[in-house]
Amino acid sequence: MTSSSPARISIFGLGYVGCVSATNLAAAGNTVVGVELVPEKVDAINSGSVPLFEPGLAELAAKQVAEKRLSATADTTAGILATDISFICVGTPSLPNEKIDLSAIEAVCRDIGKAIAQKETRHVVIIRSTVLPGTCDRCVEVIAKASGKSCPADFAVVSNPEFLREGTALKDYEHPPFTVVGASRPEDAQIVGDLYAHIDAPLFLTDLRTAETIKYACNLFHATKVCFANEIGRICKSLEVDSHAVMEIFCADDKLNLSPYYLKPGYAFGGSCLPKDLRAIMALSREHHVALPMLERILESNRQQVELAIKTVLGTGKQNIGMLGFSFKPDTDDLRESPHVALAEALIGRGKSVKIFDPHIQTSRLMGSNRKFIDEKISHVSELMVGSLDEVIESSECIVIGNKDAHYEGILDRVRDDQIVIDLVRIDKERTSSGGYHGLSW
């Protein structure tokens, strides 16, 4: 399998990520030089081997070395002068204070900077290591200082996080869920994206900090999933329920359980199911003396999202607040445990004048448990509801968008310049916080 436009590539760091990346890039038809300070690793590559075990990697590397597409050196300058693109694949371990250790990356960037000072052609540096958002900006500073050259005129720094699992790395490289490339200029992102043109997977060309962050979002979610499954297992075992049978059925749901449906930053959850069911499981776990620390903190995390919304609205300093949406989600009139109710009550408690519009809620028509909830819990709040969107727009200094009901489409085009909008749901996915528009978590 070959790339349509073979490139000359240097790989800094021949550990796990570096070896896998170097071998696969060479297998795609590129000329690859591994740069490594440990002599044994350099010797291993040049002898047609690899300094680690990964199924199939040694055989693939041996073929690339034999065909003279893969080699290794300890000479940083030689590696840079012989190539146009460099991948940095060195480790980023934890420091004693739990912060990330960037010393190896910064050392490589200084070496690269000194080397490209001798080049007349532009060089692209790709950060493959897992780094926190903002690290690529720091790498630009280090390289610029060491080289005396400027970015983007003389060099570029690009983020290209890896998603490789030990034991299945070759398969993961050729069949990734997606490829992510972040850069300050689209043309630099495309240079790196072209290296993966032979791979059948979605390619996301984005900005530097988004690319740097996505690896952490993925790993944090994977960690969360492991803890979630384990806590379900604990409660299942205490009840003599087969946890694997439960989770096998759970994973069969790709409409909600394994889907993007709930994975959009926004406001808190509510309704008649999620809060109630969490409390019920917590009570049951305490009865059976089963510790579920992650699940136990979910309601507290949810409460903090409500507190964030309250703080954001109060931070505007506005007196007249209009709320669009009152039920816990669009296209329903269910107010039970709606986080919008908690927001309204907090604002009223701070002396704010509040008007609420929700086209699906007519208090005179509500019945059953929903009616009982209003009568017993929020009768004073329900009196603040108005009958039209226009009334909220005309009378409010600050407008809070609570859900994505179709009635609110185009609302951002209707607000006045003197009004502030607090968006809890990102009614327009193209908008980010600026001026009088404030997204709750974006």
Side-chain angles (χ1 to χ4, degrees):
M1 187 178 296
T2 60
S3 166
S4 57
S5 300
R8 302 190 306 164
I9 302 169
S10 48
I11 304 282
F12 285 78
L14 292 177
Y16 187 84
V17 172
C19 279
V20 172
S21 299
T23 302
N24 280 279
L25 285 165
N30 303 294
T31 300
V32 180
V33 179
V35 182
E36 172 61 59
L37 298 180
V38 178
E40 292 80 5
K41 292 184 178 182
V42 174
D43 293 342
I45 293 293
N46 288 332
S47 65
S49 183
V50 289
L52 52 88
F53 176 74
E54 173 65 32
L57 184 62
E59 295 81 359
L60 186 61
K63 181 179 179 181
Q64 307 317 309
V65 172
E67 295 180 359
K68 302 188 182 305
R69 285 196 294 266
L70 176 62
S71 62
T73 181
D75 189 336
T76 297
T77 301
I80 290 293
L81 295 180
T83 60
D84 307 299
I85 299 172
S86 296
F87 282 80
I88 296 180
C89 301
V90 298
T92 54
S94 295
L95 293 167
N97 63 3
E98 299 186 346
K99 291 185 177 181
I100 187 173
D101 185 355
L102 295 177
S103 59
I105 282 187
E106 292 194 2
V108 170
C109 285
R110 280 191 291 272
D111 289 342
I112 290 175
K114 293 174 184 177
I116 67 173
Q118 304 177 38
K119 292 188 66 174
E120 295 182 358
T121 56
R122 191 169 182 267
H123 203 85
V124 176
V125 179
I126 303 163
I127 308 300
R128 187 82 161 147
S129 305
T130 299
V131 295
L132 290 168
T135 302
C136 286
D137 294 331
R138 172 57 183 159
C139 291
V140 169
E141 295 174 359
V142 173
I143 295 172
K145 182 177 180 180
S147 66
K149 296 193 172 186
S150 62
C151 177
D154 303 310
F155 70 92
V157 173
V158 178
S159 174
N160 175 218
E162 50 83 19
F163 300 95
L164 305 173
R165 297 169 296 174
E166 295 188 28
T168 60
L170 294 185
K171 179 180 178 182
D172 290 345
Y173 188 97
E174 288 292 337
H175 305 282
F178 45 65
T179 300
V180 179
V181 181
S184 57
R185 302 194 314 168
E187 53 265 45
D188 290 328
Q190 190 61 59
I191 290 172
V192 182
D194 289 344
L195 297 176
Y196 303 102
H198 65 289
I199 292 178
D200 184 17
L203 172 63
F204 293 95
L205 304 182
T206 184
D207 61 273
L208 282 170
R209 296 198 175 202
T210 296
E212 290 170 315
T213 305
I214 186 60
K215 178 62 181 290
Y216 283 94
C218 291
N219 281 355
L220 294 177
F221 189 47
H222 300 329
T224 299
K225 288 183 288 187
V226 171
C227 289
F228 172 77
N230 287 338
E231 292 195 6
I232 293 297
R234 291 178 207 166
I235 193 66
C236 282
K237 186 169 184 178
S238 73
L239 300 172
E240 298 184 350
V241 174
D242 185 345
S243 60
H244 282 244
V246 169
M247 293 308 294
E248 183 177 355
I249 298 172
F250 172 92
C251 291
D253 178 1
D254 59 5
K255 293 182 179 179
L256 295 177
N257 292 345
L258 303 181
S259 80
Y261 189 80
Y262 291 111
L263 295 174
K264 293 181 175 62
Y267 197 36
F269 64 76
S272 61
C273 296
L274 301 187
K276 171 183 68 68
D277 293 346
L278 266 167
R279 288 193 294 266
I281 287 295
M282 290 302 100
L284 184 64
S285 69
R286 288 190 290 271
E287 181 181 333
H288 287 265
H289 306 289
V290 176
L292 306 177
M294 187 186 81
L295 294 175
E296 182 124 24
R297 293 291 294 173
I298 289 177
L299 286 173
E300 171 61 17
S301 178
N302 200 54
R303 185 194 65 78
Q304 290 185 15
Q305 198 70 356
V306 176
E307 292 294 328
L308 177 61
I310 295 169
K311 180 180 179 180
T312 302
V313 176
L314 293 177
T316 67
K318 301 300 184 182
Q319 177 63 24
N320 299 312
I321 314 297
M323 295 181 60
L324 304 182
F326 202 37
S327 58
F328 79 99
K329 67 176 186 178
D331 298 320
T332 181
D333 61 359
D334 196 345
L335 294 174
R336 289 172 293 176
E337 301 211 44
S338 170
H340 302 300
V341 173
L343 174 59
E345 289 184 318
L347 296 176
I348 293 168
R350 295 295 292 269
K352 302 298 182 181
S353 175
V354 178
K355 290 187 177 181
I356 304 165
F357 173 70
D358 190 316
H360 303 292
I361 298 175
Q362 298 181 35
T363 56
S364 62
R365 296 175 56 184
L366 297 179
M367 58 187 68
S369 57
N370 203 15
R371 179 79 225 182
K372 182 179 180 181
F373 175 77
I374 286 183
D375 291 340
E376 294 181 356
K377 303 290 186 180
I378 60 167
S379 60
H380 60 296
V381 176
S382 64
E383 295 172 358
L384 304 175
M385 301 197 68
V386 299
S388 74
L389 176 61
D390 290 341
E391 186 173 350
V392 170
I393 295 175
E394 291 170 5
S395 62
S396 301
E397 298 172 284
C398 174
I399 297 174
V400 180
I401 304 173
N403 57 45
K404 287 190 175 183
D405 193 282
H407 287 78
Y408 311 140
E409 291 182 3
I411 183 66
L412 298 180
D413 296 325
R414 297 185 59 188
V415 297
R416 304 186 302 270
D417 291 341
D418 63 328
Q419 291 175 309
I420 292 177
V421 174
I422 308 295
D423 190 351
L424 307 183
V425 294
R426 202 167 198 178
I427 195 75
D428 180 352
K429 67 179 182 179
E430 302 300 325
R431 294 291 290 270
T432 55
S433 296
S434 63
Y437 173 84
H438 303 276
L440 187 62
S441 300
W442 56 90

